[in-house]
Amino acid sequence: MSQQLNNALEDAGKAMSQLRIAIKGIPVRREGFKGLHDQFARSVATLTTHMSYARVLLDEEAAERGKRWRR
């Protein structure tokens, strides 16, 4: 499960990098795009933070299961 989270986090990072490159050609104030972009970027950052925290918890749970299994 942790590997799936790693892949998802990498993909989100790549997508945000592509978005950053794509946004350079768009006028900043066009149709409120900058505000929507900022809101989206904050939401993705929050999601990424929560996913990273969940990955740590999953790794700890897997380690605990491994300890119980070996006993």
Side-chain angles (χ1 to χ4, degrees):
M1 182 66 99
S2 180
Q3 185 61 34
Q4 290 174 339
L5 280 174
N6 288 338
N7 291 340
L9 287 170
E10 285 179 27
D11 291 345
K14 289 176 186 176
M16 291 305 288
S17 295
Q18 290 175 347
L19 178 62
R20 187 180 323 118
I21 293 167
I23 194 174
K24 290 186 182 201
I26 299 173
V28 175
R29 302 202 193 297
R30 179 80 176 193
E31 309 276 333
F33 181 78
K34 177 68 172 151
L36 291 173
H37 171 268
D38 291 346
Q39 183 181 1
F40 175 73
R42 276 191 221 91
S43 297
V44 170
T46 301
L47 175 64
T48 303
T49 303
H50 289 301
M51 288 174 64
S52 294
Y53 181 69
R55 180 180 52 194
V56 172
L57 293 177
L58 286 172
D59 288 342
E60 289 175 1
E61 288 177 9
E64 284 296 319
R65 275 184 295 206
K67 287 179 186 176
R68 281 186 266 151
W69 179 258
R70 286 182 224 139
R71 290 182 187 176

